[in-house]
Amino acid sequence: MLGAWRGLRSEAGGARALRVGAAADKAAMPIHMLKIISGAPETALPSHLQRVDSKYLQLGCDHANKYFKGTVTLSYPLIKLGNGTDSFKITLQDMENSCSRTSSINILLLGKMAKDCAKVVHQGIYTKSSPITASEIASTPVALKYTYTPLNHLTGGTTVNLYGVVKFFKPPYISKGTDYCSVVTLVDQSNVKLTCTLFNGNLDALPKIYKIGDIVRFHRIKIREYNGQIQGVTSIGFASLTFDGTPGAAIIPRASSKLYTFTDEEQKTIEELRVWGSSNLSISGPAVKLSGVQPKLYFDLTCQLIGKAEMDGSSFLLKVWDGTKCSYQSWKVPVESRDLEGDKVLIHKLRNLTVDILVYDNHVQLAKSLKVGSFLRIYSLHAKQACPENQADVLYIEFHLHGGTGYGRGFGVLPESNPDVKELKSFLDSVDLTEHQNVETVSSMELDSTSDSVSNSEVYLERCQQLSVTVLTDHQDLNETALNTILNNPAPQQYRIRAKLRTFKPQKLYQSIKLYCSKCNSLQEVPDGDDFDFILQDSAATLPNPELHNKLWYDSAVWNTEHPKQRTIAVHFVKHNEMVQEPGNCLIMVEGGTQKEIMKLTRRFKGVIPVRSMQEDLELLDLSAPFLLQGKIRHYGCKQCSKPKTIKSLHFLSEEEHPSWEPSEVAQILGIKPLQYAFVMEFTLVDGTGELNAYLFDYEKFFQIPACEVLSSDLLQKKMEATMNSLSSPKRKIDDLPWLECVIRSYTVRDGTEQRVCYQIFDTTVAEDVV
DNA sequence: GGTTAGGTTTAG
């Protein structure tokens, strides 16, 4: 309250006087004694100090360069608080303004200041120039022993001290008046409940309750009747301590004021209430993590805030994470990047682990004050089940913190010292971001967006009833939607559209073939032949190990060759029923071969696995090389998601009754997560109302060409080229281009610093007469 | 020492 002190020795009346100055002095300022001669200090006070009376000493007033002068009318013994801090209380009275009702003030000094001041003021005598009043005693908690009233002994019209286990609470929220409000229902061993309505303009002055089951100690709570029921309300001097309710946990008070007493005897009370509460209160089970969220659930979430944004007056966006991945697709609230507060890089990094929460109405104001990075507990958060219009089969979750405070709905900031926060922090630190960070995910992939935009009038197209060159394979019941409508709608949704293909990327069609991992969602380029050559050359340096030849489940053939240089080649023929199968059904493993030799072998054998010798067993080559070649198709594994096993594992496949040597089965038994070939393209679609870029991500449905075969087939490449030419061509005017009917879905992505809506074509195929 | 809220889900 007050910044600094100067002791003043008064010659008059034998009473000691103190000057209490709120000048810029630091709290550690030592006590100075000043002599007063004929009512004036011997040493003049600095001229910039201005004297004020007690009425001026109020919260919110600027106390810089002010001082209060008064006579010590009462002083109390120097005592130590529960936390070891020295405390010294005195009462000062402004004798020169004694007609004022509030001419005396109580002052609590803490720490070194208390000690120093006690020495000067005390010295064995103190002067009491006015009677001690009840209110002075009541506001001197350090001097009193408290009595606590059990909840079954409460009567209206009293002010009491009490203990209780929290049975229900509303975290502090901003009331419609001037204060924060918190409603707390307590219960104790008498099984009687008491609901308390607590107000304070200062958030910290309300109990710091984080969980049902917490133990509280209230001082000076007023008991009264309301609607025939007894209730507790804050009264002057209300103070609280809150404790974790877990039996055996450390007893650390969360105090609503800096000054409080806490005795060993009280520790016993806390522990008794903990034990009683834990067996008599239905305390909620283990906390729900994002990964455990189910649709339609109301739950409490402990999380870290990483981004926030104002939406409109009645809603506010919080982006949070708890280190686990929500098992359901959750909504992404569209928001302009410039409106989003938080570390954009981090938000992008964590984009697959964060969820968007909209808080509404009365919660908005408090949400605005939250600091990004802080830890929150959000109470009664609603995981609302939602699905795009007309799409009952596509399910996702929206997170809402609805308006109002019913059921304790709200949120609070947890301090870093909170055990749950400590646990969460260490978990967040342990999260492997690369696992969720997808270098390039399908949902956020981008193929250089077009910068040239074409005005609506330029691409104005008259709707006509000509046949479409593409057809839907599902969703025929959807109505057509104009592109400009789609562009103005929030995501995610699904639409049926009719549009023309103004242009597409990549123009070099072979570049549209990528490798996709369905586990980590990553997309990568198909390695070229040179990469394979290099790996084969490297592995040819390891000579085949004769100890690994002719095993129970394979026969081996070894020979030497001079070309292109001196090498040893080993081929291992995998047996079935202890017999080598005919080449068309036989899987072989090859050591030391060149790419050309291996390609030759793929023409004759069912499949070829390039391997090299280790001490104990054969092993696969680096995963930049195909783990299996079948015909012209090279099968690759995901480096990130595969855990290659020893080749011996193939043995189990060879023992099956009818081994198919399907790539998926070979991959699985070898611990490989196979990559899938996919077409990845960007279509710029126009329909006269707007222009929209949509991604095509397709294995073979759209072109009716398997993506895995295109790179090794001139015929298929020509076919694809012809198809694209029939859909779109820069040589043709837009009016002459055919219509495409497509189903697209919208979704939001954040990449880099911005969030935007993307679109993907699906369940659409090129009409048969076009292909 | 005045108001606020006084437990029981929004409906976005």
Side-chain angles (χ1 to χ4, degrees), chain A residues 648-660:
Chain A
K648 271 184 207 145
S649 324
L650 267 181
H651 180 199
F652 299 110
L653 262 193
S654 75
E655 282 179 347
E656 275 184 22
E657 203 175 334
H658 299 290
S660 67

Side-chain angles (χ1 to χ4, degrees), chain A residues 130-148:
Chain A
S130 61
I132 302 172
T133 67
S135 74
E136 279 170 334
I137 292 173
S139 60
T140 314
V142 293
L144 293 176
K145 183 169 164 57
Y146 284 82
T147 56
Y148 296 93

Side-chain angles (χ1 to χ4, degrees), chain A residues 590-655:
Chain A
V590 180
E591 284 181 273
T594 62
Q595 182 166 195
K596 211 170 166 186
E597 289 159 348
I598 287 173
M599 294 318 288
K600 254 187 192 169
L601 290 167
T602 61
R603 279 182 233 148
R604 292 201 56 197
F605 292 91
K606 176 79 178 174
V608 178
I609 300 178
V611 294
R612 63 174 174 179
S613 281
M614 297 299 285
Q615 218 155 26
E616 300 282 333
D617 195 4
L618 300 168
E619 71 162 15
L620 293 175
L621 308 185
D622 183 282
L623 286 181
S624 300
F627 69 89
L628 173 69
L629 298 95
Q630 282 193 322
K632 288 180 173 174
I633 302 175
R634 300 170 180 207
H635 299 279
Y636 292 91
C638 178
K639 281 186 172 178
Q640 195 168 277
C641 302
S642 300
K643 291 188 178 105
K645 292 181 193 160
T646 162
I647 291 288
K648 271 184 207 145
S649 324
L650 267 181
H651 180 199
F652 299 110
L653 262 193
S654 75
E655 282 179 347

Side-chain angles (χ1 to χ4, degrees), chain A residues 297-309:
Chain A
L297 192 68
Y298 286 86
F299 67 107
D300 297 346
L301 178 66
T302 305
C303 56
Q304 187 182 30
L305 181 67
I306 64 157
K308 59 174 197 170

Side-chain angles (χ1 to χ4, degrees), chain A residues 41 210 658 680:
Chain A
Y210 304 132
H658 299 290
V680 180

Side-chain angles (χ1 to χ4, degrees), chain A residues 381-397:
Chain A
L381 180 59
H382 185 189
K384 187 181 180 184
Q385 180 175 345
C387 47
E389 231 177 316
N390 305 326
Q391 295 301 313
D393 53 332
V394 184
L395 187 115
Y396 68 97
I397 288 181

Side-chain angles (χ1 to χ4, degrees), chain A residues 76 212 243 252 361 389:
Chain A
Y76 296 77
I212 305 290
F243 304 85
I252 302 164
D361 305 337
E389 231 177 316

